[in-house]
Amino acid sequence: MTDALATTRSRYEATPRVLDADLQRMARGDRGCLGDALAGLGGVSIIVFGVLASFAVVGWGYMMAGTLFLLVGFVLSAAAQVRSGPVRRKALTEGPLVLGRVVAGDPALYEPSDAVLPARVVFAPAPTQRFDSGLLRTLATRLQALQRADTTPVDQAAVAAVLREPSKVDTVRLPASLAGDDEAYLAVVAVDARRLPGRRIDSGELTLIVDPQSGFAEHV
C-alpha cells in the first residue's frame, strides 16, 4: 500500500463518514447540462441582439428572447441541483471508498498540472475486492482491448459506448464476458490532478468514493 493510499484510507474509508470541506464542495448538486446550455445561449443572445439593436439592425425586443433563455436555463439548473444534491450527499456519506484503475484518460492528466479532466475508470466495489490492484489491472487490459476492437459483442455494447464516445458520462456494470463473476463497473470520473502524487497520473490508480446504484463515482 502506498503512503498516498494509506492516507486516503485513514481519512475516508470508515462509513458513515463526516464530510470535510472537500467533500462538502462535492456534495453540491449538479446544475445540469441543459440548464447551463440554455443559460449560456441566453447570455450570448442578449449580447448579440444588444449589439445589433444598437446599430438598428434589429429591434430591442429581440433581447427578450435571450432573457427568456437565460431565465429558463437558470430555473432548470437550480432544479437539477436541488434534485441531485441529496443523492450526492448520501453517496459521499455512505458510499464505499474504492481503488480505481484508469482505462483511458485525457492526455493532459499524464503531465503535472492542476487540471480537472475526465478519465474512464474501472472499479470493483465488493468489500473483498475494493483495493484489489491485480483484478483492476486485468479488467483495465480487457477494456482497453475492447476500446480498440473492430467488432463489439452485443453484451459489451454499453461498455464500449462509454469507452469510445466522449459525450457518454454513464457508469455501467461490466458483463460476465468481461468481469466473470466479479462485480465491476466502468465510470467516467472527473480526475483532479491536484489530488494525485506529483499532480499527474503515474501508477494509473485513483481512489474513489462510489455509489454504483446512482451512478456516482468521485475522485478523492
Side-chain angles (χ1 to χ4, degrees), residues 15-59:
T15 56
R17 64 179 61 86
V18 176
L19 304 188
D20 59 17
D22 286 341
L23 297 188
Q24 287 283 3
R25 284 191 291 270
M26 296 179 194
R28 296 171 187 162
D30 295 318
R31 290 175 54 83
C33 296
L34 177 59
D36 284 350
L38 287 175
L41 176 62
V44 172
S45 298
I46 290 172
I47 295 172
V48 170
F49 287 134
V51 171
L52 292 176
S54 68
F55 288 99
V57 176
V58 299

Side-chain angles (χ1 to χ4, degrees), residues 23 25 55 82 117 132 144 162 166 176 206 208 210 214 216 220:
L23 297 188
R25 284 191 291 270
F55 288 99
V82 168
L117 295 166
D132 189 336
Q144 288 164 346
V162 174
L206 310 170
L208 314 171
V210 301
S214 66
F216 180 89
V220 295

Side-chain angles (χ1 to χ4, degrees), residues 39-111:
L41 176 62
V44 172
S45 298
I46 290 172
I47 295 172
V48 170
F49 287 134
V51 171
L52 292 176
S54 68
F55 288 99
V57 176
V58 299
W60 290 100
Y62 280 91
M63 291 181 65
M64 293 301 298
T67 302
L68 179 62
F69 277 121
L70 183 64
L71 291 175
V72 170
F74 176 80
V75 170
L76 290 176
S77 291
Q81 196 165 30
V82 168
R83 288 195 303 270
S84 64
V87 175
R88 293 179 63 84
R89 178 171 290 274
K90 184 175 186 297
L92 287 166
T93 302
E94 303 176 8
L97 180 74
V98 303
L99 194 64
R101 183 92 191 171
V102 176
V103 178
D106 190 291
L109 288 170
Y110 293 88
E111 300 293 336

Side-chain angles (χ1 to χ4, degrees), residues 157-173:
V159 178
V162 174
L163 287 169
R164 298 169 183 166
E165 298 177 22
S167 61
K168 286 285 187 180
V169 293
D170 301 336
T171 296
V172 293
R173 182 167 179 172

